[in-house]
Amino acid sequence: MKHFKHMQASSAKEAANQTKNGASVLIAGGTDILGTLKDEILPTYPETVVDIKTIEGMDEIKEDGNALRIGALATLAQVAESETVKNGCPVLAEACARAASPTIRHMGTIGGNACQMHRCWYFRTPDDRFHCIRKGGDWCPARIGDNRYHSIYGDQDGCYASSSHDTAPALAALGATVVTTNREVPAEEFFRASGTRSNVLEDGEVVTEFKVPKAPKSAFQKFALRKSIDFPLVNCAVAQQEDGSVRVVLGGVYPAPWRSAEAEAELSRGIDAVSVERAADAAVSVCKPLGKNGYKVEIARTMVKRTLLELAERG
């Protein structure tokens, strides 16, 4: 690792001010950014690392009417074990419980998980050996290269990386809002590849909390090669809304969480064995797999089916 300055921010506003020039990065749990700095995968190395984990009040989890407010510094373990989250938004508790390993869940934060960069090996290769479109290049090497774990729903602005956040599909399915120091962004609009970021955050902007509508009837499923620790090949979050409609969101299949309108349409008359089967088929009907990841289509179909069946079992 190269030398960098280190400072502890006393507030989210101070942290935001420190990152306005684009020469600083934030650190909370450090489970992603430290590896990023060690491998030197960013086009430019940051001058300053701004520590935000000591900011008071940003790790709170509390009810607010028909919603929960979850501070960005709440650890994945805290969210997973919170009775408030388990009762109000079980899909989010389950997603946090399935993220990474127990050690990482006790260090990593929900804000960090939501903001982590994609795991694409071309993007993550040290020394910028593959000058991909996300780093100012003209194309995505995964389009014709080794794309076993990449998008099966096409590209997002030329990028074929797959979303690796376990919390992202849950937040999108719940209709959550990401609150920053500058604005409030619907979760469905937040996860969009933008340069080296996997979200729409700008320089000088820090995520402070998540506003999450309650959805007691919700569920989460994940498929990974190593069940106890790995990033998802495919994950799926579903949540029933107050009007009875069901949101179906897949992760690991596109650069952002993929909400399947096709699957949701098959559930408009209720959830039963027939509608679940049709929804699973509909969810993958618009897939565009690459040369080496066609196997993920069947995994995605199965994840939708299993998650919806689990939702139905919850009454």
Side-chain angles (χ1 to χ4, degrees):
M1 294 177 71
K2 297 180 180 179
H3 289 286
F4 55 78
K5 298 176 183 178
H6 178 269
M7 69 156 291
Q8 288 186 317
S10 59
S11 67
K13 184 177 180 180
E14 182 183 16
N17 287 333
Q18 287 294 324
T19 60
K20 281 184 177 179
N21 61 4
S24 302
V25 294
L26 302 178
I27 186 171
T31 56
D32 184 40
I33 191 62
L34 287 178
T36 299
L37 297 180
K38 180 180 178 181
D39 291 339
E40 299 183 25
I41 70 170
L42 298 172
T44 57
Y45 207 81
E47 297 175 3
T48 306
V49 173
V50 182
D51 187 353
I52 63 172
K53 63 178 174 287
T54 56
I55 297 176
E56 294 185 6
M58 271 181 60
D59 62 349
E60 293 182 353
I61 300 173
K62 56 188 178 183
E63 293 188 71
D64 184 11
N66 290 324
L68 304 182
R69 299 176 76 101
I70 302 175
L73 293 181
T75 66
L76 295 169
Q78 286 175 317
V79 179
E81 296 165 6
S82 167
E83 292 300 322
T84 300
V85 181
K86 287 181 181 179
N87 294 329
C89 309
V91 62
L92 185 57
E94 291 162 9
C96 289
R98 291 295 307 276
S101 66
T103 301
I104 291 176
R105 288 196 294 272
H106 280 86
M107 294 176 62
T109 63
I110 185 171
N113 185 268
C115 293
Q116 68 176 303
M117 289 180 282
H118 290 110
R119 306 302 304 184
C120 170
W121 41 41
Y122 294 108
F123 175 73
R124 292 258 177 179
T125 299
D127 303 321
D128 199 17
R129 275 179 279 170
F130 297 98
H131 193 53
C132 73
I133 195 169
R134 298 279 300 282
K135 296 182 179 181
D138 297 324
W139 68 299
C140 174
R143 184 173 63 83
I144 59 174
D146 191 343
N147 46 44
R148 285 171 286 169
Y149 305 136
H150 289 73
S151 171
I152 57 174
Y153 283 95
D155 70 293
Q156 184 186 61
D157 298 333
C159 175
Y160 287 86
S162 59
S163 168
S164 56
H165 332 68
D166 282 306
T167 57
L171 291 168
L174 289 165
T177 300
V178 183
V179 182
T180 79
T181 47
N182 296 349
R183 52 183 169 156
E184 297 187 3
V185 186
E188 277 194 77
E189 300 173 13
F190 179 75
F191 300 99
R192 185 170 190 88
S194 176
T196 58
R197 296 188 176 103
S198 59
N199 53 65
V200 298
L201 289 176
E202 300 174 348
D203 291 341
E205 188 172 19
V206 176
V207 174
T208 58
E209 68 173 346
F210 300 88
K211 292 181 180 178
V212 188
K214 292 180 181 179
K217 192 172 180 180
S218 55
F220 178 84
Q221 288 279 343
K222 174 179 177 177
F223 183 90
L225 294 179
R226 296 175 296 175
K227 292 183 180 180
S228 63
I229 187 173
D230 233 343
F231 294 100
L233 274 180
V234 181
N235 54 21
C236 181
V238 298
Q240 190 168 58
Q241 312 303 302
E242 288 186 356
D243 62 2
S245 63
V246 177
R247 289 189 181 185
V248 179
V249 184
L250 287 159
V253 296
Y254 186 69
W258 180 271
R259 183 175 174 186
S260 177
E262 295 79 11
E264 293 173 9
E266 296 294 339
L267 303 169
S268 60
R269 296 183 180 179
I271 304 175
D272 55 32
V274 175
S275 65
V276 165
E277 196 73 39
R278 288 177 177 172
D281 291 338
V284 297
S285 63
V286 294
C287 280
K288 302 173 183 177
L290 298 168
K292 299 180 181 179
N293 66 359
Y295 72 96
K296 290 180 66 173
V297 175
E298 181 58 26
I299 295 175
R301 193 189 77 82
T302 302
M303 287 295 98
V304 171
K305 180 178 179 179
R306 288 181 179 178
T307 315
L308 287 172
L309 288 174
E310 182 179 347
L311 185 73
E313 290 175 0
R314 295 183 176 182

